[in-house]
Amino acid sequence: MNILANDGISQDGVNLLEKNGHTVIQKNVAQEQLADFMNENEVHVLLVRSATKVRKELIEKVKDLKVIGRGGVGLDNIDVEHAKSKGIKVINTPAASSESVADLVIGHMFCGIRYLKNANREMPLEGESSFKQLKKSYSKGTEAAGKTFGIIGFGRIGQTLAKRAIGLGMKVVAYDKFIDEANIELTFFDGQQIDFKIKTTDMNTVITESDVISLHVPAQKEAIIGKTELERMKPTAGIINTSRGGIIDEEALVKALDEDKLAYAGLDVFENEPQPPVKLLMNPKLSLSPHIGGATVEAQSRIGVELAEQLLEIN
Ligand code: NAD
């Protein structure tokens, strides 16, 4: 089969596919040229991550497409039902990036509670001339241990994050629309294992009691965190969104930060990707990353191999 990996694929995945006689085209074809390119190259499998959109119009135009593979969790960039109605299979790798996303959340939290974002920016400029002033400015950080970590959406990533939070000595409170209880298994380097049963609670408890909140729900029609929710949070707290843009109302978030109703926020995903508004990008209380939550060497490798294995099973 001819496989186009339009948003990249790990070498491990390519090796596995090529070893089994498939051709992998590793090229990032622009969205508007994709249909023509796929027809000219008789592409049978289109592999994407979140960047390439596989909408109805594209599916209608391509002739030989048999499988669409999404490296990662959400399928919101693919018109799945339409693909299926045309007999095109849609596959994805839901669990491959949970560890990576959980790590990034913790990174954003530390950027917030230890002012790392601003310290990192100012040290190269003023570290030599104003060390003492900078030291003073950034000496009121707080510790993670003993604080409460609120998780909204207690699925794969939410539960993986709970392990990180517990490891840091934090209390975990979680809300999930469908999950009442989860068994969190912490496995240590020496083989020891400890299980925590975490019963989820209501959304308001998570919002009002947490020192940091992280969102791990699928794409929603409307923001689930808006002005009302942000106003109920502790003014010393932070909020982190690595799930999907639009789950936090960005206008309300910037306002809450500017009015000191919230201490900090971390965003990896944006309503308007790939062009988030400047007022978000320039906000000193926002720790930012360009939708890289699931993008680590390990996750990319796992994604590539998982997609390749699923393709080999189909063919
Ligand atoms: P998951 O399906 O395992 O978990 C999502 C959980 O959210 C489920 O348990 C579901 O019951 C719950 N839920 C759904 N709607 C809810 C609501 N309104 N309120 C509360 N809970 C709700 O998914 P996951 O693998 O944990 O992924 C979570 C999110 O992370 C997805 O949006 C995914 O697209 C995103 N993600 C982002 C990156 C990145 O690069 N930043 C990488 C991977 C995944």
Side-chain angles (χ1 to χ4, degrees):
M1 289 195 298
N2 295 330
I3 301 165
L4 171 64
N6 209 48
D7 296 331
I9 180 173
S10 69
Q11 197 53 46
D12 296 339
V14 174
N15 293 346
L16 191 54
L17 289 166
E18 289 185 344
K19 206 171 73 184
N20 284 278
H22 301 292
T23 304
V24 183
I25 310 167
Q26 297 182 72
K27 201 172 167 130
N28 181 234
V29 183
Q31 191 74 47
E32 56 282 6
Q33 287 151 17
L34 199 50
D36 288 345
F37 181 91
M38 287 173 67
N39 287 333
E40 278 159 26
N41 292 277
E42 294 174 12
V43 169
H44 304 112
V45 178
L46 174 62
L47 301 181
V48 300
R49 296 225 47 199
S50 58
T52 303
K53 310 286 173 245
V54 193
R55 297 281 166 240
K56 197 173 165 185
E57 301 73 48
L58 176 70
I59 296 168
E60 282 296 316
K61 281 189 204 155
V62 289
K63 290 189 219 123
D64 304 303
L65 191 61
K66 292 189 173 63
V67 184
I68 301 166
R70 157 79 163 100
V73 188
L75 288 169
D76 35 317
N77 55 328
I78 300 171
D79 283 341
V80 178
E81 290 314 315
H82 193 74
K84 285 185 180 162
S85 74
K86 295 262 163 189
I88 298 169
K89 283 201 164 66
V90 180
I91 57 173
N92 70 339
T93 61
S97 43
S98 301
E99 301 284 343
S100 305
V101 179
D103 279 352
L104 190 74
V105 173
I106 298 296
H108 278 303
M109 179 186 77
F110 280 118
C111 276
I113 63 178
R114 297 305 296 270
Y115 308 107
L116 286 178
K117 170 191 167 159
N118 293 331
N120 263 320
R121 283 184 164 190
E122 288 178 29
M123 280 298 279
L125 302 172
E126 295 174 43
E128 216 178 356
S129 58
S130 315
F131 194 94
K132 281 189 176 167
Q133 286 95 312
L134 292 180
K135 182 176 162 77
K136 198 166 170 231
S137 303
Y138 300 134
S139 288
K140 291 200 177 95
T142 53
E143 292 178 351
K147 304 294 189 311
T148 299
F149 205 124
I151 300 175
I152 296 179
F154 209 41
R156 283 175 293 255
I157 300 174
Q159 293 180 29
T160 306
L161 175 61
K163 298 183 197 180
R164 305 280 191 286
I166 293 169
L168 287 167
M170 302 179 79
K171 175 182 169 186
V172 172
V173 289
Y175 165 69
D176 192 288
K177 213 171 173 177
F178 304 106
I179 293 176
D180 297 327
E181 187 180 89
N183 193 36
I184 307 296
E185 255 180 42
L186 256 76
T187 311
F188 296 91
F189 68 98
D190 60 355
Q192 286 190 69
Q193 194 185 309
I194 305 179
D195 288 2
F196 290 81
K197 271 210 182 349
I198 298 187
K199 279 191 195 310
T200 52
T201 178
D202 58 289
M203 174 116 155
N204 194 47
T205 303
V206 175
I207 288 187
T208 53
E209 289 187 2
S210 299
D211 296 294
V212 54
I213 293 177
S214 191
L215 301 164
H216 300 287
V217 298
Q220 307 281 310
K221 286 204 177 78
E222 284 177 4
I224 61 168
I225 301 289
K227 182 173 181 282
T228 320
E229 290 75 22
L230 292 168
E231 280 178 356
R232 279 194 212 133
M233 286 177 64
K234 294 181 186 175
T236 50
I239 191 160
I240 297 162
N241 186 15
T242 57
S243 54
R244 277 288 176 267
I247 285 165
I248 300 186
D249 176 338
E250 291 177 354
E251 289 278 331
L253 177 66
V254 169
K255 199 160 183 285
L257 291 168
D258 288 347
E259 290 175 359
D260 292 329
K261 288 182 176 150
L262 197 64
Y264 69 93
L267 292 180
D268 185 50
V269 290
F270 304 86
E271 279 171 33
N272 191 27
E273 285 185 30
Q275 281 166 322
V278 171
K279 70 174 168 197
L280 281 186
L281 302 180
M282 298 302 285
N283 193 300
K285 292 184 183 170
L286 259 173
S287 173
L288 302 158
S289 50
H291 203 150
I292 52 163
T296 59
V297 173
E298 291 85 351
Q300 305 284 21
S301 169
R302 245 177 262 132
I303 284 169
V305 172
E306 273 183 38
L307 281 177
E309 285 172 348
Q310 289 185 56
L311 284 176
L312 295 176
E313 248 171 58
I314 293 172
N315 236 274

